[in-house]
Amino acid sequence: MLQKLSLTGKRISLRTPTRDDLPILYNLIYGVENPEWKKYDAPYYPLEFCTFEKFSKRMEERMNVTDVPSQMIIEHQGQIIGMVSYYWEDKRTRWLEMGIVIYSPEHWNGGFGTEALSLWIDYLFENLTIERVGLTTWSGNPRMIRCAEKLGMRLEGRMRKCRYYNGEYYDSIRMGILREEWDEFKKNNPLFNSHGRTN
């Protein structure tokens, strides 16, 4: 089991999930039919219902690692509001992509996602042998695009009209940032003056 890890920012913190978090996470994801967050988080892939038992097993498998966690919980004032994650597009070539979801609309547009991703990007560069962190989204999620831009990520690819959803075509958007670009971004961003980390 991965040791407990916490990354502390100005208003939010990231931490590894525990078994006690599983009922809360399950309710945030599956508690209502057609949740609002799913309208922006790749809605062209329908949210398939999952039993709590299956969900718990899947989460515990992800928690049962001994190195860098593939996902962390986002907390604000002791409340779980979302998650960050990463996955290997191609581990052999060290091609890594990250993701984020903020479940509650009340926490959208408040800068929570930007702060969470800044902590996450920094952690990934510090703990993995990679030269780039990528993020894939779609043109139907302008908040995600703006969030990535605020963190210095660049548009690297736009696959036009390859996502069909609700009778409309959307673009697939690929963004990324290199290690040297991230280091330069941190030097000029006051957000990092308040970051801390505890294990």
Side-chain angles (χ1 to χ4, degrees), residues 20-78:
D20 291 340
D21 298 318
L22 299 185
I24 300 170
L25 289 170
Y26 183 81
N27 187 60
L28 286 169
I29 298 169
Y30 300 105
V32 297
E33 191 175 354
N34 301 318
E36 192 70 16
W37 61 268
K38 187 56 183 167
K39 294 178 182 178
Y40 301 96
D41 184 33
Y44 33 85
Y45 298 131
L47 180 64
E48 296 183 3
F49 178 76
C50 178
T51 65
F52 179 71
E53 289 73 20
K54 187 175 181 180
F55 171 78
S56 298
K57 182 179 179 182
R58 187 173 65 217
M59 287 292 294
E60 289 187 19
E61 286 173 356
R62 294 175 184 172
M63 289 156 53
N64 192 27
V65 296
T66 57
D67 52 3
V68 178
S70 63
Q71 57 189 9
M72 294 184 78
I73 282 171
I74 307 169
E75 277 192 331
H76 172 62
Q77 296 179 343

Side-chain angles (χ1 to χ4, degrees), residues 49-113:
F49 178 76
C50 178
T51 65
F52 179 71
E53 289 73 20
K54 187 175 181 180
F55 171 78
S56 298
K57 182 179 179 182
R58 187 173 65 217
M59 287 292 294
E60 289 187 19
E61 286 173 356
R62 294 175 184 172
M63 289 156 53
N64 192 27
V65 296
T66 57
D67 52 3
V68 178
S70 63
Q71 57 189 9
M72 294 184 78
I73 282 171
I74 307 169
E75 277 192 331
H76 172 62
Q77 296 179 343
Q79 178 186 355
I80 296 174
I81 65 170
M83 293 196 77
V84 290
S85 61
Y86 79 83
Y87 63 93
W88 293 105
E89 186 78 28
D90 188 339
K91 192 170 185 178
R92 295 171 302 169
T93 63
R94 302 178 185 177
W95 179 355
L96 178 142
E97 298 281 309
M98 67 174 180
I100 182 172
V101 58
I102 303 289
Y103 295 112
S104 305
E106 65 194 67
H107 292 106
W108 296 350
N109 300 315
F112 299 108

Side-chain angles (χ1 to χ4, degrees), residues 157-186:
R158 178 186 288 268
M159 281 60 78
R160 295 173 297 168
K161 294 188 176 182
C162 63
R163 297 295 191 193
Y164 186 71
Y165 174 66
N166 274 358
E168 291 187 47
Y169 285 99
Y170 296 89
D171 300 344
S172 178
I173 307 293
R174 288 225 161 183
M175 305 185 74
I177 190 164
L178 303 180
R179 181 182 291 273
E180 60 264 30
E181 294 169 344
W182 181 248
D183 289 341
E184 187 64 27
F185 175 82
K186 286 198 298 180

